[in-house]
PDB file of all heavy atoms in Angstrom:
ATOM      1  N   LEU A  25       7.050  28.195 -19.761  1.00 93.00           N
ATOM      2  CA  LEU A  25       7.997  28.537 -20.823  1.00 93.00           C
ATOM      3  C   LEU A  25       7.270  28.806 -22.133  1.00 93.00           C
ATOM      4  O   LEU A  25       7.590  29.767 -22.848  1.00 93.00           O
ATOM      5  CB  LEU A  25       9.010  27.408 -21.017  1.00 93.00           C
ATOM      6  CG  LEU A  25      10.175  27.319 -20.026  1.00 93.00           C
ATOM      7  CD1 LEU A  25      11.114  26.187 -20.429  1.00 93.00           C
ATOM      8  CD2 LEU A  25      10.938  28.630 -19.951  1.00 93.00           C
ATOM      9  N   ILE A  26       6.307  27.950 -22.446  1.00 92.00           N
ATOM     10  CA  ILE A  26       5.532  28.127 -23.680  1.00 92.00           C
ATOM     11  C   ILE A  26       4.784  29.457 -23.651  1.00 92.00           C
ATOM     12  O   ILE A  26       4.713  30.172 -24.652  1.00 92.00           O
ATOM     13  CB  ILE A  26       4.546  26.959 -23.872  1.00 92.00           C
ATOM     14  CG1 ILE A  26       5.314  25.660 -24.143  1.00 92.00           C
ATOM     15  CG2 ILE A  26       3.576  27.242 -25.023  1.00 92.00           C
ATOM     16  CD1 ILE A  26       4.442  24.425 -24.172  1.00 92.00           C
ATOM     17  N   LYS A  27       4.240  29.791 -22.484  1.00 89.00           N
ATOM     18  CA  LYS A  27       3.504  31.045 -22.340  1.00 89.00           C
ATOM     19  C   LYS A  27       4.428  32.259 -22.151  1.00 89.00           C
ATOM     20  O   LYS A  27       3.955  33.395 -22.103  1.00 89.00           O
ATOM     21  CB  LYS A  27       2.552  30.946 -21.134  1.00 89.00           C
ATOM     22  CG  LYS A  27       1.419  29.938 -21.308  1.00 89.00           C
ATOM     23  CD  LYS A  27       0.445  30.404 -22.371  1.00 89.00           C
ATOM     24  CE  LYS A  27      -0.760  29.481 -22.475  1.00 89.00           C
ATOM     25  NZ  LYS A  27      -1.732  29.964 -23.482  1.00 89.00           N
ATOM     26  N   LYS A  28       5.734  31.972 -22.007  1.00 88.00           N
ATOM     27  CA  LYS A  28       6.736  33.017 -21.806  1.00 88.00           C
ATOM     28  C   LYS A  28       6.431  33.858 -20.572  1.00 88.00           C
ATOM     29  O   LYS A  28       6.478  35.090 -20.592  1.00 88.00           O
ATOM     30  CB  LYS A  28       6.841  33.908 -23.053  1.00 88.00           C
ATOM     31  CG  LYS A  28       7.300  33.160 -24.291  1.00 88.00           C
ATOM     32  CD  LYS A  28       7.414  34.087 -25.496  1.00 88.00           C
ATOM     33  CE  LYS A  28       7.885  33.308 -26.729  1.00 88.00           C
ATOM     34  NZ  LYS A  28       8.003  34.175 -27.922  1.00 88.00           N
ATOM     35  N   LYS A  29       6.113  33.159 -19.487  1.00 88.00           N
ATOM     36  CA  LYS A  29       5.806  33.823 -18.223  1.00 88.00           C
ATOM     37  C   LYS A  29       6.745  33.310 -17.133  1.00 88.00           C
ATOM     38  O   LYS A  29       6.946  32.100 -17.002  1.00 88.00           O
ATOM     39  CB  LYS A  29       4.353  33.569 -17.808  1.00 88.00           C
ATOM     40  CG  LYS A  29       3.319  34.157 -18.771  1.00 88.00           C
ATOM     41  CD  LYS A  29       1.919  33.811 -18.324  1.00 88.00           C
ATOM     42  CE  LYS A  29       0.868  34.353 -19.288  1.00 88.00           C
ATOM     43  NZ  LYS A  29       0.822  35.824 -19.305  1.00 88.00           N
ATOM     44  N   ASN A  30       7.292  34.233 -16.346  1.00 90.00           N
ATOM     45  CA  ASN A  30       8.172  33.868 -15.228  1.00 90.00           C
ATOM     46  C   ASN A  30       9.222  32.839 -15.679  1.00 90.00           C
ATOM     47  O   ASN A  30       9.331  31.742 -15.126  1.00 90.00           O
ATOM     48  CB  ASN A  30       7.352  33.299 -14.063  1.00 90.00           C
ATOM     49  CG  ASN A  30       6.385  34.316 -13.487  1.00 90.00           C
ATOM     50  OD1 ASN A  30       6.565  35.518 -13.643  1.00 90.00           O
ATOM     51  ND2 ASN A  30       5.344  33.837 -12.826  1.00 90.00           N
ATOM     52  N   ILE A  31      10.002  33.199 -16.676  1.00 93.00           N
ATOM     53  CA  ILE A  31      10.931  32.271 -17.316  1.00 93.00           C
ATOM     54  C   ILE A  31      11.914  31.646 -16.326  1.00 93.00           C
ATOM     55  O   ILE A  31      12.127  30.423 -16.329  1.00 93.00           O
ATOM     56  CB  ILE A  31      11.713  32.969 -18.452  1.00 93.00           C
ATOM     57  CG1 ILE A  31      10.743  33.541 -19.497  1.00 93.00           C
ATOM     58  CG2 ILE A  31      12.694  31.996 -19.092  1.00 93.00           C
ATOM     59  CD1 ILE A  31       9.881  32.505 -20.174  1.00 93.00           C
ATOM     60  N   LEU A  32      12.523  32.466 -15.477  1.00 95.00           N
ATOM     61  CA  LEU A  32      13.494  31.937 -14.520  1.00 95.00           C
ATOM     62  C   LEU A  32      12.831  30.960 -13.548  1.00 95.00           C
ATOM     63  O   LEU A  32      13.404  29.919 -13.205  1.00 95.00           O
ATOM     64  CB  LEU A  32      14.150  33.082 -13.745  1.00 95.00           C
ATOM     65  CG  LEU A  32      15.192  33.902 -14.515  1.00 95.00           C
ATOM     66  CD1 LEU A  32      15.614  35.116 -13.692  1.00 95.00           C
ATOM     67  CD2 LEU A  32      16.406  33.037 -14.838  1.00 95.00           C
TER      68      LEU A  32
END
Side-chain angles (χ1 to χ4, degrees):
L25 281 183
I26 293 173
K27 293 292 185 178
K28 297 181 180 180
K29 296 178 182 294
N30 297 338
I31 302 299
L32 285 172

